[in-house]
Amino acid sequence: MATKPTDLVYGVDDVPPLPRLFALGLQYAILLGVYLILVVLVARAARLPPDQTTSLISFALLAAAVATSIQAWNGRFFGSGFLAPPVYSAIYFGPAVLAAKSGGLPAVAGMTIFAALVEILMSRLLEPFRVVFQPVIAGFAVLVVGLQLGLVGVSETFDVAGELQADFTADVGVALLTLAACVGFSIWGRGILRLVSTLLGLVLGVVVAILTGVIGAPTFETIGAAAWLSLPDPSYLSFGFEPALIPAFIASATAATLRTVGVVTTAQRINDAGWKRPDTDNIARGIVGDGLGCLAAGLVGAPGQSSAASLVGLSSATSATSRAIAFAAAAFLVAFAFIPKVAAAVIGLPLGIAGAILVFTASFLVVSGIEVMLVRGLDLRGGFAVSIALFIGLLTQVKPAYFARLPDWLHTITSDMLTVSLAVAVVLTLVFRIGIRRRGSADWQATQDAHAELARFLTSEGKAWKLGEDLIARARDAAGRAVDDLDRDGYLASPVSIQASYDNIELAVTLVYRGRPPPMPHRGMALHAFHHQESAASSGLASFLRDAGADRTSVTTSDDNVTIRLGFSA
């Protein structure tokens, strides 16, 4: 059971007093609303009329409320149970724009629903696809999303489409000031100011835009004409499907899954003073919750949502990680959805300011991607894989005409930078894994120095393979306890041969001996029920094998030769 850290004022299970809950919920609702910029840009790409865009924004607010509540739900099948609100994500932005341009908003809706189902499916594939869900691939996906979003943001910030218009200088000036404010608060701000730098930069940009006339009378007239209270009109909503964009949305769903793994793991660590390792079951439920949030967005015609690391960081900085805050924020989002003036204000935001926010967000994604890629170090194999993949991905932006001339069947992969980059990175990673496993072995003798010898062996091999101290300690303790139990309970008829191997994903410690096999552990076995004279020992050893700290355990036999394999995820 998680132990509440002493620095948290309101832990995940606490409920703040009503006034503070009100203030914290409003803060998160406003921050979530900032990301509606992406919904507006997708609507513009789909050439949606203003009245229908207003309805889309209102329904997008409702979908955000649903997604926030689902992720905070501590359920058996979905929801991480943490304050980890999803936002309209840059991960889905590129493919959503492609869908909007090729099939309008119906295509955005249908393809987002498809991506949501893919992400939900991936929650069940974390274990068999560990080679894909490793840090170098996860970080690379986030890096490419950042580059992709940054290119769009820079184009809007510098008003590339309107460089010959009379108000070009004012538009670009306001956009650059917005970007400078965001960056300034992020670098020189302290505490909460740093974490809400996006919101502060946005507010400053809007104020300057009003003072300089970039936001003028037409915008105010539109906001003034909007009703104070109204039900959103769903008549704009319909669904389509673009088969050519399937790879692009699968790539985005993969990137969203990888990001959710990181966000939920961070939330676990923030909320548990005794945290040691990720809770994979909780992560899987978080991925399902993230997918359901994306599904809610697709059902209202909006681009996909995904968990926001910045908002989890904000919860830590404010010492308030209560899931009740998520439900309060959801209540505010629902209220905003029925106030058309809110949607009109979002739609009236100048493109230059939106572009500046995109550049700022993209910069964080690029940095975050690099950090994730380097979490275990980047060896030569991984370096070649991501470098070549990045070069090919960038080529889709530099020479799009080349890819347009390729065979039609290749267009489904080459139409999107993230898709082609991630595909190449995964393929090269698999190819470069040939011959990657490194091995070492030693014999265990039942002597007084046996534990020290085992510790020296695993420590020596671990350092040679650049393994973390925690991983080495887990393997050393689990293997030592296993051999002690086997020896004490009379399972051994020979010394134990210990073999260790590492393939950049898993450290495997294999114990080989002659003798009797131990009982296989399984979930639900009644460890307290003893049916024969060795039941206590058998049950205890099975319990150990199940709870030894190994992520995977297997026992195989051949005649009187027994092999126990303990697998530890790196």
Side-chain angles (χ1 to χ4, degrees), residues 508-545:
V509 178
T510 305
L511 312 176
V512 181
Y513 66 91
R514 286 191 303 105
R516 294 183 299 118
M520 277 293 292
H522 58 83
R523 296 184 183 273
M525 68 182 298
L527 299 178
H528 58 278
F530 304 139
H531 301 295
H532 54 83
Q533 61 181 5
E534 291 188 352
S535 286
S538 299
S539 180
L541 185 55
S543 176
F544 163 74
L545 289 176

Side-chain angles (χ1 to χ4, degrees), residues 42-43 45-48 95-111 236 238-242 245 249 301:
V42 171
R47 299 180 180 178
L48 203 65
V97 169
L98 290 175
K101 290 180 177 179
S102 62
L105 204 64
V108 175
M111 298 309 298
Y236 72 91
S238 60
F239 300 93
F241 197 79
E242 293 290 326
L245 294 178
F249 278 86

